Amino acid sequence: MAIALASGTFLITALTMSEAAFVSWGWRIPFLAGVVLVGVGPFVRLRLEETHAFRQSTGRAKLPVAETLVRRPREVVLGAFVVTSE
């Protein structure tokens, strides 16, 4: 989904300006929008409160990556293949 959104942003930018403008400075617009999102994301995340169920959960793994590899190896391998296929 992220790749489709990024490609769409570049397509819209390229279609709304001349080729010379896009080549000289227009290609920077999607990257600048991404920089803004990098700032907005943590801001929103820090303002949201956790749900009651999450706050009540007590189970925290000491090594979450190791626990994931042990408990869900199939999903990890499938996820790796999906990302590699991009």
Side-chain angles (χ1 to χ4, degrees):
M1 184 67 170
I3 292 175
L5 288 173
S7 298
T9 304
F10 270 97
L11 178 64
I12 291 169
T13 305
L15 293 176
T16 57
M17 57 180 48
S18 69
E19 185 176 351
F22 181 77
V23 170
S24 68
W25 62 272
W27 62 269
R28 293 180 178 102
I29 294 172
F31 290 103
L32 293 174
V35 168
V36 171
L37 288 177
V38 166
V40 170
F43 176 78
V44 170
R45 175 64 184 97
L46 291 172
R47 297 287 187 264
L48 292 175
E49 291 186 26
E50 299 294 349
T51 63
H52 180 70
F54 182 81
R55 282 185 268 137
Q56 296 299 321
S57 67
T58 58
R60 290 209 172 166
K62 290 183 180 179
L63 296 171
V65 173
E67 184 175 326
T68 301
L69 291 172
V70 170
R71 289 187 176 189
R72 306 261 185 207
R74 181 175 180 263
E75 287 82 356
V76 171
V77 171
L78 286 173
F81 280 129
V82 167
V83 171
T84 303
S85 70
E86 291 179 359

